[in-house]
Amino acid sequence: MDDCFLFTSAKTSQDLLVSQVLDSFCKASGLKINLHKSRFIVFSNVPRRKISKYTSILGFQYMNKIDKYLGFPILTRRAKIYDFCFVVDRNNSKLVGWKAKLLNRPMRVTLAKAVLDTIPIYTMQNVWILEGVCNNIDNIVRR
């Protein structure tokens, strides 16, 4: 297993259970968990002393927030247009490398639809992209 998210309530009993499950997984599979790469996050209402206790139980490092995971934004609030700037930027970066003068208009349209329209699909598999972002991408393709 390469990447995994586990969700529990902020209780010591849950952390002990997670630790036991991970130990059982390691024994059964012969794999080891890389504690240097493992992290946990908590909501803002969890006291600092509990975070320290969880760190000692799990052996994972504490992290304030996760911005992206596997290229997807992890949003803890309502989505804003600027949360998806990376999709628009990726489209724009593709355009920079294209030599528009070397292609006639129908070839440019075909290239734009084949490449630029497909870039946001990976993100849209897991995250609802806002209508304004989709409109912006459409404008880029039309230009």
Side-chain angles (χ1 to χ4, degrees), residues 86-120:
F86 70 97
V87 177
V88 176
D89 292 343
R90 200 172 309 146
N91 272 359
N92 286 328
S93 69
K94 290 284 184 191
L95 290 172
V96 171
W98 295 351
K99 305 281 188 205
K101 295 177 182 174
L102 299 177
L103 300 173
N104 62 27
R105 186 168 181 81
M107 290 175 78
R108 285 196 314 255
V109 170
T110 303
L111 183 62
K113 286 186 178 284
V115 176
L116 299 179
D117 278 346
T118 60
I119 288 174

Side-chain angles (χ1 to χ4, degrees), residues 2-117:
D2 199 20
D3 292 302
C4 181
F5 267 124
L6 299 173
F7 296 92
T8 68
S9 57
K11 296 180 182 174
T12 304
S13 62
Q14 291 292 304
D15 285 341
L16 291 171
L17 180 62
V18 167
S19 183
Q20 290 171 355
V21 167
L22 292 175
D23 286 341
S24 297
F25 170 78
C26 291
K27 288 176 185 170
S29 66
L31 299 174
K32 291 183 179 180
I33 295 172
N34 188 340
L35 296 177
H36 297 293
K37 291 184 178 180
S38 300
R39 308 274 189 273
F40 75 95
I41 60 172
V42 296
F43 289 106
S44 58
N45 59 350
V46 176
R48 224 29 181 146
R49 63 179 170 73
K50 276 194 168 188
I51 292 172
S52 297
K53 191 174 187 178
Y54 301 151
T55 304
S56 64
I57 291 171
L58 294 171
F60 298 169
Q61 294 178 19
Y62 169 69
M63 203 164 121
N64 290 337
K65 64 179 181 173
I66 300 174
D67 291 329
K68 282 188 182 179
Y69 179 73
L70 298 177
F72 298 107
I74 303 296
L75 303 173
T76 57
R77 56 175 166 58
R78 190 169 186 197
K80 307 279 186 209
I81 288 179
Y82 62 82
D83 291 324
F84 300 98
C85 286
F86 70 97
V87 177
V88 176
D89 292 343
R90 200 172 309 146
N91 272 359
N92 286 328
S93 69
K94 290 284 184 191
L95 290 172
V96 171
W98 295 351
K99 305 281 188 205
K101 295 177 182 174
L102 299 177
L103 300 173
N104 62 27
R105 186 168 181 81
M107 290 175 78
R108 285 196 314 255
V109 170
T110 303
L111 183 62
K113 286 186 178 284
V115 176
L116 299 179
D117 278 346

